[in-house]
Amino acid sequence: MRRSIQIFVWTLVLSTGFVLRADTDAEVNARKDALEIAGAFSNDDFKIRDGHSCGLLKPHDHALIAVNLYAGNQYWFSVGTSDPVKKVAVSLYDESGKPMKTEDYSNGDKAAAGFEPENSGQYYVGVDLLEGQEGSFCLVYSYK
Amino acid sequence: MHGNPASDISIPPKTHKKNDAAGPEIPIGNFAGARIIFAMIRLVALITLALLAAISTYAAEKAQSLSPDQMAKAVRTDSITVPTPGELFAALGKTGKINWSAQYRGPIPTTYSDRAQIALNLGGLIADGFIAVEAKDGQQVKNIGSDILKLGKALGVSEQLLGRGNSINEFAEHSDWDTLQEELEATQNEVKSSMQSHDDQDLVILVTLGGWIRGTQVVTGVIMKNYSESAAKVLRQPALVRFIQSKVNEISPELRQQPLVKDVSEQLSGIEKLVSFPADKVPTQEEVRKVNEAVSKLMTEIQSKEPAK
């Protein structure tokens, strides 16, 4: 029930356009998908951060988004996409670019990575297009 | 001696040559030596294998690692690169029980005339709202919500905030703390969104900066009172301060020349050094005190200093 309310509130926020920049329709759809995955983690007391990063995902490209995380918190990075993206993967790197071990969730064109940093500081979220053609993606994250 | 069967085996003279193609003959008497040689060969082989495995793991990791160019081109935005005060407080809350209501500050003026100062204080007030939510103090949330509205009005964004203010009050009355936290984040984003649409883009980073300074002041204050290494670890944020500093450097030269903005920008460089610990180093109590001193000085200026005309 709580999850449904949250998804409804977020969808309302999306539809009323309370975003920092005008997203394309494809990005709005991708964000809806990302919020749907993030909503599942809310059942486990994760709070969805009111912010997102949308963009274009190209084949063999590695979209990277810088985030600053705190040691002690747990995070889930959820990515939604729009057609014609078929399969996507989420990865995490530390500030030196070294890949981090994450708990992975994948459902074709949606994916998520769970991570608990040992050190506070900057990390990079990588989004890879594994199957399909160039399309939009949107990243949201949750923490607890 | 004659009873020993080994003594019946004749040792060939050193000059005696046998089939050279079969390699040098190992005398039976040197059997123990041969075993040592075989053991050493095996050891060398094992070390070589282990080295090869380590090299291939390193090479694979290196191949998967990001290049400096990739990292430099990573997307950095206010809405996802800068954590909210709520995230910082959540991390601190994991390290022990925090007396959040002890972190309140007295009411701040809501009649500033300078827009940059209003933006900085708006950010600070939103961080105060997060503290009140952590303290589960409905009345304090409502008081802060009312001050946020006043400052928002001074910046011309009150209309959009009015709706948020009403829901903040409603959620506070129903002690719906999780939703309240989401409302505060949404309020902060709405203020920034409204600033962007009013061509006040330069003020957005000042709201973020005000929130970060107030949040860091509270967190360092808590750690100073009850130091622990796990709590002190949350203070390491060099890239975050660098990002904020780079955004402050992008604001219009006129605004950057205003005394308060200039002061804040200059002091931020010093603060960046204070929170730039190596990844494996935990800040000491003294280092935490220095960060607290620096951000508190800045906060005092932000909330009380009227910029020179």
Side-chain angles (χ1 to χ4, degrees), chain B residues 198-217:
Chain B
H198 284 88
D199 285 334
D200 272 337
Q201 172 70 38
D202 285 349
L203 298 182
V204 170
I205 193 61
L206 298 182
V207 174
T208 303
L209 177 56
W212 182 81
I213 293 170
R214 176 67 184 133
T216 307
Q217 183 190 28

Side-chain angles (χ1 to χ4, degrees), chain B residues 163-241:
Chain B
R164 289 281 173 203
N166 290 339
S167 32
I168 283 176
N169 284 347
E170 202 177 307
F171 291 130
E173 269 167 26
H174 291 94
S175 305
D176 196 346
W177 308 115
D178 281 349
T179 318
L180 255 176
Q181 183 151 338
E182 284 170 13
E183 277 295 305
L184 277 170
E185 283 188 26
T187 302
Q188 180 171 271
N189 282 345
E190 211 158 294
V191 167
K192 291 175 182 176
S193 179
S194 178
M195 283 173 171
Q196 281 176 326
S197 61
H198 284 88
D199 285 334
D200 272 337
Q201 172 70 38
D202 285 349
L203 298 182
V204 170
I205 193 61
L206 298 182
V207 174
T208 303
L209 177 56
W212 182 81
I213 293 170
R214 176 67 184 133
T216 307
Q217 183 190 28
V218 167
V219 167
T220 48
V222 169
I223 301 170
M224 273 166 61
K225 278 191 187 129
N226 194 9
Y227 178 85
S228 74
E229 287 195 346
S230 56
K233 273 178 115 176
V234 304
L235 291 178
R236 183 182 178 274
Q237 289 294 335
L240 175 59
V241 184

Side-chain angles (χ1 to χ4, degrees), chain A residues 2 6 19-20 47 49-52 64 66 68-70 72-73 93 95 97 118-120 124 141 143-144, chain B residues 64-66 75-76 79 81-83 87 90-91 94 178 181-182 185-186 189 193 196 233-234 236-237 279:
Chain A
R2 198 175 133 200
Q6 269 191 325
V19 286
L20 286 177
K47 294 184 179 85
R49 188 242 158 100
D50 186 19
H52 64 280
L64 281 176
N68 284 281
L69 310 179
Y70 294 112
N73 276 353
Y93 304 84
E95 63 189 7
E118 263 186 45
N119 297 311
S120 300
Y124 298 92
Y141 76 82
Y143 66 93
K144 78 165 178 180
Chain B
Q64 285 179 335
S65 293
L66 301 174
V75 171
R76 289 170 174 84
S79 67
T81 306
V82 182
E87 287 177 65
K94 296 264 180 68
D178 281 349
Q181 183 151 338
E182 284 170 13
E185 283 188 26
N189 282 345
S193 179
Q196 281 176 326
K233 273 178 115 176
V234 304
R236 183 182 178 274
Q237 289 294 335

Side-chain angles (χ1 to χ4, degrees), chain B residues 9 68 141 154 162 171 183 187 221 284 297:
Chain B
I9 299 167
V141 174
L162 214 56
F171 291 130
E183 277 295 305
T187 302
T284 62
K297 182 171 176 274

Side-chain angles (χ1 to χ4, degrees), chain B:
Chain B
M1 286 292 277
H2 287 282
N4 184 352
S7 62
D8 294 338
I9 299 167
S10 61
I11 297 169
K14 280 181 185 174
T15 52
H16 182 78
K17 283 192 176 177
K18 240 185 161 184
N19 189 3
D20 280 340
E25 189 181 330
I26 300 170
I28 293 286
N30 284 350
F31 189 64
R35 282 179 65 185
I36 291 170
I37 290 167
F38 284 134
M40 281 179 72
I41 289 169
R42 265 191 304 203
L43 187 67
V44 169
L46 277 173
I47 292 171
T48 311
L49 277 175
L51 268 172
L52 280 173
I55 289 167
S56 66
T57 307
Y58 174 77
E61 209 170 71
K62 193 87 183 158
Q64 285 179 335
S65 293
L66 301 174
S67 67
D69 187 48
Q70 282 178 306
M71 290 189 278
K73 285 180 182 160
V75 171
R76 289 170 174 84
T77 63
D78 186 285
S79 67
I80 202 138
T81 306
V82 182
T84 64
E87 287 177 65
L88 175 60
F89 298 156
L92 184 67
K94 296 264 180 68
T95 63
K97 198 166 165 52
I98 314 287
N99 182 3
W100 290 107
S101 54
Q103 313 311 319
Y104 296 165
R105 58 176 167 161
I108 62 159
T110 50
T111 51
Y112 304 108
S113 57
D114 179 75
R115 292 173 73 76
Q117 188 167 25
I118 297 171
L120 284 162
N121 277 292
L122 200 48
L125 270 180
I126 292 169
D128 284 330
F130 280 98
I131 297 165
V133 170
E134 291 290 345
K136 298 190 184 340
D137 184 342
Q139 188 53 52
Q140 182 72 0
V141 174
K142 284 199 250 179
N143 295 343
I144 290 165
S146 155
D147 284 350
I148 289 173
L149 269 179
K150 283 178 198 160
L151 288 188
K153 194 176 174 185
L155 286 176
V157 296
S158 65
E159 226 169 84
Q160 292 90 336
L161 284 181
L162 214 56
R164 289 281 173 203
N166 290 339
S167 32
I168 283 176
N169 284 347
E170 202 177 307
F171 291 130
E173 269 167 26
H174 291 94
S175 305
D176 196 346
W177 308 115
D178 281 349
T179 318
L180 255 176
Q181 183 151 338
E182 284 170 13
E183 277 295 305
L184 277 170
E185 283 188 26
T187 302
Q188 180 171 271
N189 282 345
E190 211 158 294
V191 167
K192 291 175 182 176
S193 179
S194 178
M195 283 173 171
Q196 281 176 326
S197 61
H198 284 88
D199 285 334
D200 272 337
Q201 172 70 38
D202 285 349
L203 298 182
V204 170
I205 193 61
L206 298 182
V207 174
T208 303
L209 177 56
W212 182 81
I213 293 170
R214 176 67 184 133
T216 307
Q217 183 190 28
V218 167
V219 167
T220 48
V222 169
I223 301 170
M224 273 166 61
K225 278 191 187 129
N226 194 9
Y227 178 85
S228 74
E229 287 195 346
S230 56
K233 273 178 115 176
V234 304
L235 291 178
R236 183 182 178 274
Q237 289 294 335
L240 175 59
V241 184
R242 215 162 31 242
F243 172 75
I244 295 174
Q245 178 81 73
S246 72
K247 288 284 167 194
V248 171
N249 291 341
E250 283 173 16
I251 63 180
S252 69
E254 298 80 40
L255 191 61
R256 221 167 46 231
Q257 283 313 307
Q258 284 192 13
L260 179 61
V261 178
K262 205 174 168 187
D263 259 15
V264 169
S265 177
E266 280 168 8
Q267 289 183 49
L268 206 53
S269 306
I271 293 172
E272 185 192 326
K273 286 181 195 122
L274 292 176
V275 296
S276 297
F277 316 103
D280 55 353
K281 186 188 177 296
V282 178
T284 62
Q285 243 170 319
E286 177 57 17
E287 285 165 331
V288 176
R289 190 193 59 77
K290 279 183 183 166
V291 179
N292 179 265
E293 202 174 79
V295 289
S296 295
K297 182 171 176 274
L298 215 46
M299 206 63 232
T300 307
E301 278 184 45
I302 288 169
Q303 71 180 54
S304 62
K305 183 177 168 185
E306 282 287 345
K309 304 232 165 148

